[in-house]
Amino acid sequence: MSGTRGTASGRGRLSTVVRSWPTFLVTVLLLVLALPAGLLISPALTGPAGSTAQPAQTPAWQLVPERLSVPQGIDPLSNAARVPVPAGVAARLDPVLKTDGGGSFTAVVQDAATGKVLYDRDGAANRIPASNMKLLTAVAALRGIGPEERFSTKVVAEPAAAATPGAAAAARSVVLVGGGDVLLGAGESAEDKVLGHAGLATLAKQTVESLRKSGFKGQVQVLVDDSLFTGPALNPSWNPDDVAAGETAPLFPLALNSARFDPADTTAPRPQDSAIAAGEAFAAGLKAASAAAGLTVAPAVVRLDGKPTADAKVLAAVQSATVSQQVDLMLQTSDNYLAETLGRMIAVAGGQPATNESARAAVLGQLAGLGIPTDGMVAADVSGLALANQVSARQFSEVVRAITNGKDTRLRAALAGFPVAGLTGTLGDRYIDESTAEGAGLVRAKTGTLNTVIALSGYVVDADGRLLVFSFIGNGLTPGAEGNKPALDTAATALAGCGCR
């Protein structure tokens, strides 16, 4: 019996221990956690151990770095990157490259490194290219003139004719000579800018200083020499309505703000005589600078009949931005006036007269010298405003390829001028919706737009790291149709995302 009671009693004690075991474990766990917590909390309750407060240490991320971090950048493109398969490219482009309404798109995509054609939709067909024409002018300017060349605007003085032998001249003419810079500014030269790089106020101050040093005091008559450009100032291929709307203006070898009254207003009508307008701005600067030198300025600005004499003395000169900088501006803003001016200056650099005809011939000649096939190409102007221009998508893709990968490295200067999708130039307000946002920052292309024409030619690095060049051109389109521009942008975005296996 007792053995039975003892066993039962032992089992009871064991049962009690088992039942109390979880409570025991919880108590131990609380003690373990409480000790370090108390150590952390106690300084806040009792104060610091020492009597003197220690200064807080500055976090490492707020300290001045001991050395600069290693610069990071994008790795160079590798020719080992996979070339897209033509069928894969077609599978991406065919569904999106469709017109909204009438007309049709032609298109060419090439591998930039090898020239392999990856997509061809009537790529050899002649098309109206609109402002994609400026790509041809850009290449021709960089080859024919040179990327680092500048245009000079100078002031010369004819020998002074004394009223009587030994007497000082009471009046003297100074001649503002146009040298092809149509990006003049009215104020001081701004060397950090392209538009206004050369300033007429700076030129006026230099002129006054030269006259002062010569001892001349009296009235100064401003004449303008714009004889560098010859032939008609307007291209007969242009629609007069486009000229009236400010798309372009009569061409002269000097102008303020690319022949604009206000450089910020790119849609307003332009001055119809930019040479005289520049002369008047120069005369105003001369008047402001000449009072302290004892000079006065005749109120009227007159066009010089002929050219300055051979012994005319140079009083002052200012230099334009480089040709490469002007090319970049032309491509970014699609400026027709600047494009036509560069065309004429290409002719001048080749020893030809600066006419419409010579400009067109000079551009085509430079393309042929580069090895770009010009068969069937028609250049009615060099800005793309004329509807008589005819260039194929294949010819444009070859031009872009010459810029990105060609042997003539001078053409690389044009790369910075291509507008960047969603960020700069004429692509700054595009690639912002869901269908094209993935192309933002990746697609770089020259735009072109006329009433029934739209074009996009440029380059993109695809998802595999392969550089592709492309040209898409739409002709005969329904005016005002909203879907044509997004179609081109969506097609370029598809290339950017292309693995295209």
Side-chain angles (χ1 to χ4, degrees):
M1 294 289 292
S2 62
T4 303
R5 287 196 301 271
T7 301
S9 176
R11 288 176 178 172
R13 288 194 296 271
L14 179 60
S15 176
T16 301
V17 170
V18 170
R19 286 196 303 271
S20 63
W21 182 250
T23 304
F24 173 75
L25 287 177
V26 171
T27 303
V28 172
L29 181 60
L30 289 174
L31 288 172
V32 170
L33 294 175
L35 285 173
L39 293 175
L40 292 173
I41 295 172
S42 61
L45 299 176
T46 62
S51 58
T52 304
Q54 298 297 318
Q57 291 186 343
T58 303
W61 58 269
Q62 289 185 342
L63 296 173
V64 177
E66 296 179 358
R67 60 184 179 84
L68 296 177
S69 60
V70 178
Q72 298 180 358
I74 299 174
D75 292 333
L77 295 176
S78 171
N79 286 335
R82 294 185 301 176
V83 179
V85 175
V89 177
R92 281 182 172 262
L93 295 188
D94 284 342
V96 298
L97 201 55
K98 297 179 179 180
T99 62
D100 179 5
S104 63
F105 287 133
T106 60
V108 168
V109 179
Q110 289 179 268
D111 176 53
T114 65
K116 180 181 178 180
V117 177
L118 305 175
Y119 185 83
D120 189 331
R121 182 192 291 183
D122 295 328
N126 268 348
R127 308 289 272 180
I128 304 168
S131 282
N132 272 205
M133 202 73 183
K134 294 181 178 71
L135 287 171
L136 312 186
T137 305
V139 165
L142 293 172
R143 289 190 83 246
I145 306 172
E148 298 305 314
E149 293 299 313
R150 301 174 186 268
F151 306 142
S152 177
T153 303
K154 61 185 179 180
V155 177
V156 302
E158 296 286 1
T164 57
R172 193 169 186 180
S173 295
V174 296
V175 184
L176 179 65
V177 182
D181 186 1
V182 296
L183 303 179
L184 293 166
E188 300 285 345
S189 295
E191 295 185 359
D192 60 335
K193 296 181 179 179
V194 181
L195 190 68
H197 186 91
L200 292 179
T202 297
L203 189 65
K205 289 180 179 179
Q206 293 177 8
T207 301
V208 169
E209 180 62 15
S210 292
L211 291 173
R212 186 191 66 78
K213 288 181 178 179
S214 71
F216 174 77
K217 292 185 178 181
Q219 188 178 70
V220 177
Q221 170 73 61
V222 175
L223 306 177
V224 174
D225 174 18
D226 57 8
S227 61
L228 179 63
F229 287 4
T230 57
L234 284 173
N235 189 315
S237 297
W238 293 336
N239 187 326
D241 291 340
D242 289 334
V243 177
E247 293 292 340
T248 191
L251 266 287
F252 295 94
L254 71 166
L256 286 168
N257 311 314
S258 196
R260 296 190 187 281
F261 292 108
D262 180 355
D265 190 350
T266 59
T267 60
R270 301 178 187 243
Q272 297 302 292
D273 192 334
S274 64
I276 293 298
E280 290 170 346
F282 171 70
L286 203 62
K287 183 177 180 180
S290 63
L295 303 175
T296 59
V297 180
V301 174
V302 180
R303 179 170 275 108
L304 179 68
D305 185 11
K307 294 186 177 183
T309 59
D311 57 349
K313 179 183 178 181
V314 176
L315 299 178
V318 288
Q319 303 296 317
S320 72
T322 65
V323 166
S324 66
Q325 291 173 318
Q326 295 187 54
V327 164
D328 286 353
L329 181 65
M330 173 191 69
L331 295 177
Q332 285 281 336
T333 62
S334 203
D335 190 322
N336 295 316
Y337 196 91
L338 179 56
E340 293 293 335
T341 299
L342 287 172
R344 294 201 184 199
M345 294 306 291
I346 298 166
V348 170
Q352 300 300 312
T355 63
N356 289 314
E357 295 79 5
S358 295
R360 301 197 303 268
V363 168
L364 294 180
Q366 289 296 331
L367 294 174
L370 190 60
I372 303 294
T374 58
D375 296 342
M377 188 182 290
V378 177
D381 67 10
V382 297
S383 62
L385 191 58
L387 289 172
N389 290 317
Q390 293 285 300
V391 187
S392 71
R394 178 61 185 272
Q395 287 168 325
F396 276 119
S397 69
E398 290 288 357
V399 168
V400 177
R401 184 169 171 253
I403 294 171
T404 61
N405 288 67
K407 294 180 180 179
D408 191 338
T409 57
R410 292 175 296 179
L411 305 188
R412 303 289 188 274
L415 288 172
F418 281 80
V420 180
L423 295 174
T424 64
T426 54
L427 286 182
D429 60 352
R430 292 163 63 170
Y431 294 80
I432 56 177
D433 60 18
E434 185 176 350
S435 65
T436 59
E438 291 185 1
L442 300 177
V443 175
R444 298 171 183 242
K446 179 69 194 79
T447 58
T449 307
L450 291 172
N451 193 33
T452 61
V453 177
I454 190 169
L456 190 71
S457 298
Y459 63 98
V460 66
V461 177
D462 74 3
D464 287 333
R466 197 76 186 183
L467 180 63
L468 309 177
V469 298
F470 64 89
S471 179
F472 307 139
I473 307 175
N475 275 193
L477 305 177
T478 302
E482 296 182 355
N484 289 318
K485 192 177 292 184
L488 298 192
D489 293 347
T490 303
T493 298
L495 287 180
C498 193
C500 296
R501 297 287 101 207

